[in-house]
Amino acid sequence: MIPSKKQLLFLLLLISLFSIYNFTIYTSKTDYGTIHLTKKAIQGENLWLENNCNSCHQIYGLGGYLGPDLTNVYSNKNKNEFYLETMFNSGVKSMPKFQFNSTEKEALIQFLKEVDQTGYYPNANTKIESNGWVSITYKNHGKK
């Protein structure tokens, strides 16, 4: 069965609308707000990515499951900068033994500090509204 010109035109229209919609959704930055990482935190993020830390650890629940979620590790009362520096090079249990220098450790700590300031994970202060929207509490910003 050969499609008619109307069917082909309709299919082309649907594909065009789908493409425009996806381009708009995936290139828009309005939903992300203003996110600013310092230069040192960007260096830490690059180290995080280069060493594939997200294959074992998560940020906001995204990443591997071998290690703990590190979204709020910086503000954890039982952990401090010395603890984090030690963990980076220790090779404890399943964690590989990295050879980060002091500048690299500072950059990773700055990255984790700035991630920590963006919010909570898991966020216990959520409320599902009757209209389906979820209201959450951000760190230092109140509800949104």
Side-chain angles (χ1 to χ4, degrees), residues 50-120:
E50 288 168 9
N51 290 284
N52 207 15
C53 298
N54 58 329
S55 66
C56 295
H57 296 282
Q58 308 105 42
I59 293 181
Y60 283 109
L62 301 172
Y65 293 100
L66 188 59
D69 187 296
L70 299 180
T71 306
N72 299 120
V73 70
Y74 188 84
S75 62
N76 188 323
K77 294 175 187 169
N78 299 325
K79 300 180 173 65
N80 56 26
E81 288 186 26
F82 177 73
Y83 172 84
L84 291 173
E85 286 180 8
T86 305
M87 289 305 294
F88 293 151
N89 288 351
S90 67
V92 176
K93 295 184 182 178
S94 300
M95 186 160 167
K97 191 172 192 175
F98 294 103
Q99 298 298 323
F100 294 125
N101 62 37
S102 60
T103 306
E104 291 171 328
K105 287 190 265 188
E106 288 173 12
L108 279 166
I109 288 172
Q110 186 65 31
F111 172 64
L112 291 173
K113 178 181 181 181
E114 291 185 28
V115 165
D116 187 286
Q117 293 170 351
T118 62
Y120 300 100

Side-chain angles (χ1 to χ4, degrees), residues 32-46:
Y32 301 114
T34 317
I35 299 171
H36 297 287
L37 290 178
T38 62
K39 196 172 196 175
K40 187 183 265 187
I42 290 171
Q43 292 168 348
E45 180 183 25
N46 288 335

Side-chain angles (χ1 to χ4, degrees), residues 6-20:
K6 278 186 174 180
Q7 290 172 328
L8 287 175
L9 185 61
F10 183 69
L11 183 61
L12 183 62
L13 177 68
L14 286 178
I15 291 172
S16 298
L17 289 174
F18 178 76
S19 298
I20 292 168

